[in-house]
Amino acid sequence: MSKVIEQVEELALPVVQELGLELVDIEFLKEGRDWFLRVYIDTPEGNIDIDQCAQVSERLSEELDRTDPIPQNYFLEVSSPGAERPLKKEEDYEKAVGRYIYVKTYEPVDGMKEFEGHLIANAPDVLEMQIRIKTRTLTVSIAKDKIAVARYAIDFSA
């Protein structure tokens, strides 16, 4: 995790928790000539609204101005992670059991690098997913250290 993200997380976490919200993710990216600090928040129920985003933005902005951890100019964006929110922490995987997810790996697992299906088990080092390939339903085990990206996905077959 980059130093900027670590510092922003230290500032954002108390603000978000005090409001009864969850800090989902933080990104610090350069797009074109501009830098963006994106903070993704949600409620435990998954129904964040624009007023809650505005509250966090205002309070976090004050903290960022006070401590000034980012030397360059940037745009602060606070928003919902959306329907396809990332799965990064152990708690994220635990909440996702039984849900439809997408996983991309660094290297092939059973000859594939992309998986979409239901997360059926979350063990300390491995995810177990039930996926469909054409007419077959398979169970695949994916080592967590091989996961490049994991997120909720929308199941269009349902």
Side-chain angles (χ1 to χ4, degrees):
M1 190 180 316
S2 81
K3 189 162 180 67
V4 167
I5 291 175
E6 285 177 22
Q7 291 173 319
V8 171
E9 184 174 3
E10 285 178 26
L11 296 172
L13 203 52
V15 169
V16 170
Q17 289 175 337
E18 187 178 307
L19 295 169
L21 303 172
E22 177 186 344
L23 180 62
V24 175
D25 199 10
I26 298 172
E27 297 176 334
F28 186 59
L29 310 160
K30 187 172 186 180
E31 293 179 1
R33 295 181 304 149
D34 298 319
W35 283 90
F36 291 87
L37 176 61
R38 294 192 175 110
V39 178
Y40 298 96
I41 60 172
D42 209 349
T43 65
E45 302 80 32
N47 58 356
I48 196 78
D49 65 40
I50 196 159
D51 292 332
Q52 291 165 310
C53 291
Q55 275 185 301
V56 170
S57 179
E58 187 176 305
R59 292 179 60 185
L60 180 56
S61 184
E62 290 170 4
E63 287 298 309
L64 290 165
D65 288 346
R66 185 180 60 77
T67 59
D68 202 21
I70 304 171
Q72 58 267 64
N73 291 331
Y74 61 92
F75 294 97
L76 172 63
E77 296 177 353
V78 177
S79 68
S80 159
E84 294 186 339
R85 73 179 275 175
L87 303 172
K88 293 193 169 205
K89 299 176 247 168
E90 192 58 32
E91 309 90 73
D92 297 337
Y93 289 118
E94 208 49 52
K95 284 184 197 175
V97 172
R99 305 272 307 270
Y100 197 78
I101 68 168
Y102 166 85
V103 172
K104 184 174 183 176
T105 58
Y106 291 113
E107 57 191 58
V109 174
D110 295 340
M112 300 181 300
K113 290 179 73 174
E114 294 187 59
F115 304 86
E116 208 169 283
H118 287 90
L119 178 60
I120 56 176
N122 174 41
D125 298 325
V126 177
L127 296 182
E128 205 167 290
M129 292 179 67
Q130 190 171 58
I131 63 170
R132 288 186 55 93
I133 299 178
K134 297 187 183 188
T135 58
R136 296 183 307 147
T137 300
L138 305 171
T139 299
V140 62
S141 296
I142 303 169
K144 287 183 182 172
D145 64 356
K146 292 186 180 184
I147 296 174
V149 174
R151 62 171 167 73
Y152 284 105
I154 298 171
D155 184 0
F156 291 104
S157 68

